[in-house]
Amino acid sequence: MTESVPTLVTYAVLGWMALNVIFYVSEKWMVFSDIIWILLAGIAYGWVSTNPESGLPELVMDPDVVLYVFVPLLIFASTKKMCLFHFRPIIVPAVIAGTLGIVVSMLTIGLTIHWLLDVALLPALLFGVIISATDPLAVSALFKGNESITENQKLLIEGESILNDGFVVTVAGILALLIFSMTSFSVVDTSVSFVTHIAGALISGALLGRLARFILRLMHTSHYILTTNITLALAYGSFVVAETMHFSGILAVFAAALAYGYKPDKDRANRLAEERVWEYLDYAANALLFFLLGTSFFALTAETNLPISYTLLAVGLLFAGRFVALSVLKPVMRVEGMRLSMNEFWLLNFSGARGAVSVALILLLPADFEYQSLFLSLAFVMILFSLLVYPLVTVRILSKMTR
């Protein structure tokens, strides 16, 4: 064990140096955000590490680590930037897109692979809902300092993504229970379980968020070390409490962050210091997660040779699932009473990049699940395409919005 410590430290130092290089490259050539360059570096590392002569250890992400270590931190960091008062104008379209939109996307993708690839119906729907979870982190960097996109548009994209992640995990859990536990389907029981998962998560998260704010008030201080410690405890505590009670941990973290709320402090310096700490934690977690997503690509898809027709189908379904969902819901989605413009419609379409949560959910399925290898290969094609291509399309859309 002692011999491995210097090695780990060496890798950490090299990793920090590489992050600086990647950050410099992404700032100088804004083709991709730094997160995408980190993903590409991970893919390169994964390819080299498959050669035994390289001497590099294979790095494959652990689904439990993703869900219990990365997800609470990233969800809280994203939601923490939102103010409930400012979030109100877009909460209805965000909820519609994050729930009904996921259902339409699930049916579009699931029924297609059921018919074309002869996958059993429930597993096909399970894949459909898992791959519908969006991750706007890759394109969110493009919004920074961009005056062509309004604050409400940013909130709609980020809020919808967080909500649909929680919704996806809940629906995927119910479908997995039906598939692997041989439980007979009951509309009443399933509906009650679904509502309980969501309502329980939102209530428990909100209570813990207000409790954290109450504790801070009792302490009569806002020093950034104290507030950072409390918010970190709130992020992970709300997730663990909700999961222990069989609720949605993601939605609990979302509710906790909103309930904790943004409250201007008299001590502005401490407030800014806390924001900087959270900004770095958010960046470091994203960097490591996307690197691990890249390094896992070859290791997790080595046993599956995906035909070119399947690859093209995956890319087509990536676009079709979200496009059909937003097309169906566009007439009822309004921001401050206004219908979505065509630019906003396309922006929502191409800000829906997929991420590591989808891979983690597939890896959590039983190892002997007959479709796991197929689902992983399809998912990686869809994730990599969305992360590499969607940001380029988003840049074009944003440039049109400035005209």
Side-chain angles (χ1 to χ4, degrees):
M1 179 66 181
T2 54
E3 292 180 357
S4 66
V5 172
T7 304
L8 290 174
V9 173
T10 302
Y11 281 132
V13 171
L14 292 174
W16 280 317
M17 292 172 63
L19 279 178
N20 282 336
V21 173
I22 289 171
F23 185 81
Y24 174 79
V25 169
S26 67
E27 287 289 306
K28 196 165 184 64
W29 298 291
M30 275 296 292
V31 180
F32 296 120
S33 67
D34 51 351
I35 291 298
I36 302 302
W37 289 110
I38 291 169
L39 172 72
L40 294 173
I43 292 174
Y45 178 96
W47 177 68
V48 173
S49 66
T50 56
N51 183 356
E53 295 180 0
S54 68
L56 295 174
E58 283 193 6
L59 299 177
V60 182
M61 64 182 193
D62 185 298
D64 287 321
V65 172
V66 171
L67 290 176
Y68 281 89
V69 177
F70 290 106
V71 167
L73 181 67
L74 296 174
I75 295 296
F76 195 90
S78 297
T79 312
K80 183 176 185 296
K81 302 171 187 174
M82 301 177 185
C83 170
L84 187 57
F85 177 79
H86 294 126
F87 188 64
R88 286 190 304 175
I90 56 86
I91 194 166
V92 172
V95 169
I96 291 174
T99 54
L100 295 179
I102 292 298
V103 173
V104 176
S105 177
M106 173 187 72
L107 293 173
T108 302
I109 296 171
L111 293 177
T112 301
I113 67 170
H114 170 62
W115 289 328
L116 296 183
L117 304 186
D118 199 27
V119 175
L121 181 58
L122 281 182
L125 291 176
L126 176 62
F127 176 75
V129 73
I130 285 175
I131 203 59
S132 295
T134 63
D135 185 350
L137 299 170
V139 294
S140 62
L142 300 172
F143 300 153
K144 293 179 180 178
N146 195 313
E147 297 180 357
S148 60
I149 181 170
T150 67
E151 193 62 31
N152 278 341
Q153 290 168 338
K154 293 178 187 177
L155 286 174
L156 177 57
I157 292 169
E158 294 174 358
E160 183 259 329
S161 177
I162 295 169
L163 289 170
N164 77 39
D165 276 0
F167 187 79
V168 162
V169 171
T170 300
V171 175
I174 293 173
L175 286 174
L177 186 66
L178 294 173
I179 295 170
F180 301 113
S181 70
M182 303 301 179
T183 303
S184 58
F185 177 75
S186 167
V187 175
V188 175
D189 290 345
T190 302
S191 300
V192 170
S193 175
F194 178 73
V195 172
T196 301
H197 268 71
I198 294 178
L202 295 176
I203 292 171
S204 61
L207 289 175
L208 289 171
R210 296 316 299 168
L211 176 62
R213 178 59 70 183
F214 176 72
I215 291 172
L216 270 181
R217 200 157 46 237
L218 286 179
M219 292 182 173
H220 301 290
T221 180
S222 60
H223 194 278
Y224 79 93
I225 293 179
L226 176 64
T227 55
T228 301
N229 288 338
I230 286 180
T231 48
L232 277 171
L234 177 60
Y236 287 103
S238 57
F239 187 89
V240 171
V241 167
E243 289 291 322
T244 302
M245 299 172 70
H246 304 291
F247 300 147
S248 170
I250 293 175
L251 288 179
V253 175
F254 174 74
L258 279 182
Y260 177 81
Y262 172 81
K263 185 178 180 181
D265 298 314
K266 294 179 181 179
D267 191 345
R268 182 68 178 164
N270 273 304
R271 178 73 193 185
L272 289 174
E274 183 203 340
E275 289 176 355
R276 293 291 179 266
V277 172
W278 267 100
E279 185 178 352
Y280 181 75
L281 290 173
D282 185 27
Y283 172 76
N286 272 315
L288 184 54
L289 183 57
F290 273 81
F291 183 76
L292 289 174
L293 179 63
T295 61
S296 304
F297 173 68
F298 290 101
L300 294 178
T301 60
E303 298 179 2
T304 305
N305 293 318
L306 206 63
I308 186 65
S309 58
Y310 282 33
T311 302
L312 295 175
L313 177 64
V315 172
L317 288 176
L318 167 71
F319 174 77
R322 192 158 175 85
F323 175 78
V324 171
L326 292 175
S327 297
V328 170
L329 298 174
K330 186 175 182 288
V332 297
M333 290 181 65
R334 286 175 167 79
V335 179
E336 295 183 324
M338 301 289 291
R339 287 189 176 185
L340 294 180
S341 67
M342 285 308 298
N343 280 333
E344 289 173 331
F345 173 79
W346 289 115
L347 187 64
L348 270 173
N349 264 288
F350 289 103
S351 62
R354 279 38 167 196
V357 171
S358 296
V359 174
L361 291 176
I362 295 173
L363 289 175
L364 285 172
L365 301 176
D368 58 352
F369 180 45
E370 60 180 312
Y371 300 113
Q372 190 179 61
S373 295
L374 172 64
F375 286 177
L376 277 173
S377 298
L378 291 174
F380 266 112
V381 169
M382 298 166 88
I383 290 168
L384 294 180
F385 187 88
S386 69
L387 290 174
L388 296 175
V389 176
Y390 277 21
L392 301 178
V393 180
T394 303
V395 170
R396 296 294 300 274
I397 296 171
L398 289 173
S399 66
K400 288 183 179 180
M401 293 173 71
T402 60
R403 296 172 187 171

